[in-house]
Amino acid sequence: IVIENGINIDKFKNAIPYKKEELNSNFTEDTKLVCMVGRFSEQKDQVTLIKAMKQLPDDVHLLLVGEGPLRKQNEDLAENIGLKNRVHFLGFRNDVDRILKTSDIIVLSSHWEGLSLASIEGMASGKPFVASKVQGLKEVVDGYGVTFKQGDSNELSKILLNLINNNDYYKEICNKCSERAKMYDINNMVNSMISTYYELLM
């Protein structure tokens, strides 16, 4: 019997977004924000997302939330390819739910994952979720959010550009992601756990 992990969907669904200028004084409400939450490690591969940003318009900015041993390497990459002013390293944050709600698109470009709670949190925020097509992500995201070949920054940039430019498609993916997230409501997990215990005791 497999009972999948769940999250508090309402926390992310009902989070209060910031005004974008509260996150950075150079932002306006028209600034497009792409966000990834994850530790700077080999697993997460922020490098692919940073490279994809190079092919997006100047009014698209990237928020990277997290710490880790590869942060400096990613900061150097952003500077070396001319994106120092468009890639923002926010460090560890306790307000991830509000940052996700403020962002326009959520991405997770990992090399691998287990059951990714970060993907569920991203979808629960009601924003389009884009993920690498790897084990642990494709099972959750395929058919709801959008997946791309792991490490393919060109494909990722095209997906992001399509979401930015096609409002109807953007709304469609938002709605699908919100519906998918409901399946991972922590209340469903708790109810399944209780039912399983009852069955074992009978």
Side-chain angles (χ1 to χ4, degrees), residues 35-140:
C35 179
M36 177 169 167
V37 179
R39 177 173 167 77
F40 287 94
S41 64
E42 181 185 352
Q43 175 190 358
K44 298 300 181 180
D45 187 27
Q46 288 91 342
V47 166
T48 293
L49 178 52
I50 293 172
K51 289 180 178 178
M53 286 291 299
K54 183 69 176 175
Q55 303 177 60
L56 298 179
D58 289 343
D59 64 341
V60 182
H61 287 247
L62 173 60
L63 306 177
L64 293 174
V65 180
E67 290 288 356
L70 299 184
R71 173 170 171 167
K72 179 64 164 56
Q73 177 181 315
N74 281 266
E75 290 175 334
D76 289 345
L77 171 65
E79 183 169 6
N80 290 339
I81 63 175
L83 294 179
K84 182 178 180 179
N85 295 327
R86 289 176 51 212
V87 179
H88 308 273
F89 295 82
L90 304 188
F92 176 81
R93 301 287 294 238
N94 288 315
D95 55 351
V96 169
D97 54 336
R98 296 190 67 187
I99 292 174
L100 293 176
K101 200 71 175 180
T102 309
S103 302
D104 297 286
I105 303 171
I106 316 299
V107 178
L108 193 56
S109 54
S110 303
H111 285 296
W112 70 87
E113 289 285 345
L115 174 61
S116 169
L117 295 183
S119 66
I120 300 166
E121 292 169 355
M123 290 191 289
S125 71
K127 301 304 171 72
F129 188 80
V130 181
S132 49
K133 196 167 189 173
V134 297
Q135 206 74 29
L137 283 175
K138 63 183 180 182
E139 293 84 356
V140 177

Side-chain angles (χ1 to χ4, degrees), residues 146-168:
V146 188
T147 57
F148 66 97
K149 182 181 177 182
Q150 198 286 316
D152 191 336
S153 60
N154 290 325
E155 183 183 7
L156 176 55
S157 66
K158 290 175 183 176
I159 289 169
L160 296 175
L161 200 57
N162 191 24
L163 285 167
I164 290 167
N165 291 332
N166 189 332
N167 193 49
D168 289 338

Side-chain angles (χ1 to χ4, degrees), residues 25-40:
S25 59
N26 292 321
F27 293 167
T28 71
E29 288 306 303
D30 292 327
T31 303
K32 298 299 182 184
L33 298 180
V34 178
C35 179
M36 177 169 167
V37 179
R39 177 173 167 77
F40 287 94

Side-chain angles (χ1 to χ4, degrees), residues 172-189:
E172 176 190 345
I173 300 302
C174 286
N175 292 334
K176 286 183 176 180
C177 286
S178 294
E179 289 301 310
R180 180 58 164 164
K182 291 177 184 177
M183 301 178 190
Y184 292 92
D185 191 312
I186 195 166
N187 293 313
N188 295 336
M189 181 198 73

